Amino acid sequence: MFTINKAQLSYLYHLNLINLILGFKLVVFFHSVTNFELNNISLYYRAISLFLVLLVIFFNGKKIFHIKSKLFIAIVFFWIIMFVKIIYSFYYSSINYPESILKYVFTFFGVLVLPSLSILATPLEKINFKFIIKILFITLIITALLSVFSYDFNNLESRLSKYLKINPIALGYIGANLGLISGFLFFKNKRLIFILTFLLAILLIALSASRGALISLFISLLLSIIFNYNIKLKNKWGYFIGFNVFLIVVLFLSLNYNLAFSERILKLFYNSDESLRQRTVLWLASIKGFLNNPFLGNTFLISLKLKKSIVTYPHNFIFESFYTGGIIGGMLYLYILLDSFKKALKILVNSELGWISLIFIQFIIFGLLSSSIYFFYQFWLFLFLILSVSLFLKENKNNNKFN
């Protein structure tokens, strides 16, 4: 029988966790420095990731069966509803889906369910989180620098990096992640490097013109300031005022240099933003779909005709949960969101792992503005990190220190 010693298990746990946390950033970084085809890299990355995930579950999966958590039970029931809806959508609806059912099912289990469970199977007392945040911080900095230096400054109205094949939304949220971690580290250690990396993060968000990334960064940092008991009240006001002044300066510079960011902000005030109009149509369609089928719900994706027929998601976690899962699925998901948010705030206040809470809260905001329950696997990974850390703190009340 295949055996593995404690040191090798520790390496496995760290490698799996780092790989899951970094996620697509690793794919983008490798693509940037090698120029290999992005789809091929993604395929190999997913295969390696699934192999690591299965190893972790194989060696310590029994831990999952001993977990006593209402949140975990709610998640399992919601997952069952999601899976049933995927099958139902293909065999009992008239929607022509862009991918095969096998790909959707594989994504559900291989990208969402199993990686999340591998986090629960990971013994947190064996994890060096200081090492993990260093790796994440360095990777974000390198990716942000590559993105900024490859930006086409001759075309400031563009939202794309000149050489990196990464969409503006993902680019903006890389900036938001870097900004959150920079802010978290700055509140702990007042060092110039964290101010500089925060400025780099804001620059990346501005160049990507991602409004959702800026909003999620602002709200998450505001919560960090409010719930950080180590910051004096007068300093909290100072950080808050300073951050707002800084955002005004960024907006002014964006206007002065005709960045796409300023144009997208102004469109909100002049009610001329096409993407917001389309999103509003999706939200209204999902609400209407729920009201038509409040008990059984609808398909796991929504089909409607805008300029052309599209199959997409409602671009809002809550609307999607009620549209797809009906009243039961929607209420289950509301409970998952609220309970995990409450746990995230407790971790933010009481633990040195507050950076996990900040990124998770950022993902919640992103999900309410733009993303999908089914496709946004990073949300689920950080949800399970929150659940796992919360369970650890509950079981180790007298010793809640991490490595």
Side-chain angles (χ1 to χ4, degrees):
M1 183 178 177
F2 180 69
T3 58
I4 187 170
N5 60 43
K6 291 183 178 180
Q8 291 171 328
L9 266 179
S10 178
Y11 287 131
L12 173 62
Y13 294 142
H14 280 84
L15 185 58
N16 181 59
L17 204 53
I18 290 170
N19 180 60
L20 293 178
I21 289 175
L22 290 179
F24 194 68
K25 303 175 191 69
L26 284 175
V27 177
V28 172
F29 175 72
F30 191 72
H31 165 69
S32 305
V33 297
T34 64
N35 207 29
F36 287 169
E37 188 66 34
L38 191 60
N39 289 336
N40 292 336
I41 299 174
S42 298
L43 183 63
Y44 289 123
Y45 166 74
R46 288 189 175 185
I48 294 170
S49 298
L50 184 58
F51 176 69
L52 292 173
V53 160
L54 291 174
L55 278 180
V56 170
I57 293 175
F58 175 78
F59 285 112
N60 207 38
K62 60 184 180 181
K63 177 187 173 186
I64 299 171
F65 297 99
H66 298 288
I67 289 174
K68 297 177 181 179
S69 167
K70 293 179 181 178
L71 177 58
F72 181 56
I73 293 172
I75 291 170
V76 170
F77 277 105
F78 185 77
W79 277 351
I80 292 171
I81 292 174
M82 283 180 67
F83 179 69
V84 169
K85 287 297 180 176
I86 292 172
I87 303 301
Y88 165 82
S89 298
F90 272 87
Y91 292 107
Y92 299 99
S93 75
S94 58
I95 297 176
N96 292 319
Y97 288 91
E99 305 289 350
S100 68
I101 186 173
L102 288 178
K103 186 166 184 179
Y104 285 116
V105 170
F106 173 80
T107 300
F108 177 70
F109 285 104
V111 179
L112 193 156
V113 174
L114 292 174
S116 298
L117 292 178
S118 76
I119 291 176
L120 272 189
T122 302
L124 296 191
E125 67 275 7
K126 299 183 183 298
I127 299 299
N128 186 343
F129 280 101
K130 291 178 181 178
F131 174 72
I132 288 178
I133 192 174
K134 284 179 182 177
I135 295 293
L136 176 59
F137 188 51
I138 292 169
T139 305
L140 287 170
I141 291 173
I142 294 173
T143 307
L145 287 172
L146 283 170
S147 302
V148 170
F149 284 123
S150 65
Y151 188 81
D152 187 3
F153 285 93
N154 293 319
N155 182 18
L156 291 175
E157 295 182 2
S158 170
R159 299 177 63 194
L160 294 171
S161 174
K162 191 174 181 180
Y163 303 111
L164 298 186
K165 296 178 181 179
I166 177 171
N167 70 70
I169 295 177
L171 209 60
Y173 277 90
I174 288 173
N177 283 350
L178 178 58
L180 286 174
I181 293 179
S182 298
F184 175 78
L185 294 174
F186 177 77
F187 293 147
K188 293 188 68 176
N189 302 289
K190 308 296 189 292
R191 295 181 181 177
L192 177 62
I193 180 65
F194 302 135
I195 297 177
L196 294 176
T197 53
F198 183 80
L199 293 175
L200 174 62
I202 294 296
L203 176 60
L204 187 59
I205 292 173
L207 293 176
S208 69
S210 176
R211 294 172 303 201
L214 184 65
I215 292 170
S216 65
L217 173 62
F218 176 81
I219 295 176
S220 301
L221 277 182
L222 181 61
L223 289 172
S224 179
I225 293 170
I226 292 172
F227 288 97
N228 192 328
Y229 295 154
N230 295 319
I231 302 176
K232 295 179 181 179
L233 183 60
K234 62 178 182 179
N235 291 338
K236 289 185 179 185
W237 279 108
Y239 289 137
F240 178 72
I241 294 170
F243 188 48
N244 279 278
V245 170
F246 181 71
L247 289 180
I248 293 171
V249 171
V250 170
L251 181 58
F252 174 78
L253 292 175
S254 298
L255 287 166
N256 191 51
Y257 289 99
N258 294 320
L259 289 179
F261 180 72
S262 59
E263 180 186 352
R264 299 193 78 227
I265 294 294
L266 290 174
K267 281 182 177 179
L268 291 176
F269 293 100
Y270 291 107
N271 195 28
S272 60
D273 185 17
E274 184 62 27
S275 66
L276 182 59
R277 288 178 183 173
Q278 292 180 357
R279 200 157 298 176
T280 303
V281 171
L282 285 170
W283 292 347
L284 292 175
S286 61
I287 293 172
K288 183 179 178 181
F290 165 69
L291 293 176
N292 289 335
N293 296 286
F295 298 107
L296 297 178
N298 301 274
T299 52
F300 86 104
L301 292 179
I302 188 170
S303 176
L304 71 162
K305 192 169 186 177
L306 298 174
K307 291 183 178 179
K308 59 180 181 178
S309 296
I310 61 169
V311 177
T312 184
Y313 46 89
H315 285 68
N316 179 287
F317 277 172
I318 296 175
F319 292 158
E320 183 180 353
S321 65
F322 279 95
Y323 173 81
T324 300
I327 189 69
I328 296 175
M331 293 304 293
L332 268 176
Y333 194 74
L334 268 182
Y335 172 78
I336 291 168
L337 273 186
L338 293 174
D339 194 48
S340 59
F341 181 74
K342 183 176 70 173
K343 285 177 168 54
L345 288 182
K346 286 183 179 180
I347 294 168
L348 183 61
V349 172
N350 298 316
S351 171
E352 63 268 31
L353 298 185
W355 59 274
I356 295 176
S357 294
L358 290 177
I359 294 177
F360 176 65
I361 292 168
Q362 174 213 329
F363 286 157
I364 290 178
I365 298 165
F366 182 34
L368 295 176
L369 296 174
S370 182
S371 196
S372 163
I373 294 173
Y374 172 79
F375 292 102
F376 195 17
Y377 71 94
Q378 288 177 306
F379 164 80
W380 290 101
L381 295 179
F382 273 82
L383 168 60
F384 271 77
L385 271 173
I386 291 294
L387 173 59
S388 192
V389 172
S390 178
L391 290 170
F392 179 87
L393 293 175
K394 185 178 179 180
E395 294 169 2
N396 299 270
K397 293 180 180 179
N398 297 326
N399 180 22
N400 61 1
K401 296 294 183 182
F402 292 92
N403 293 325

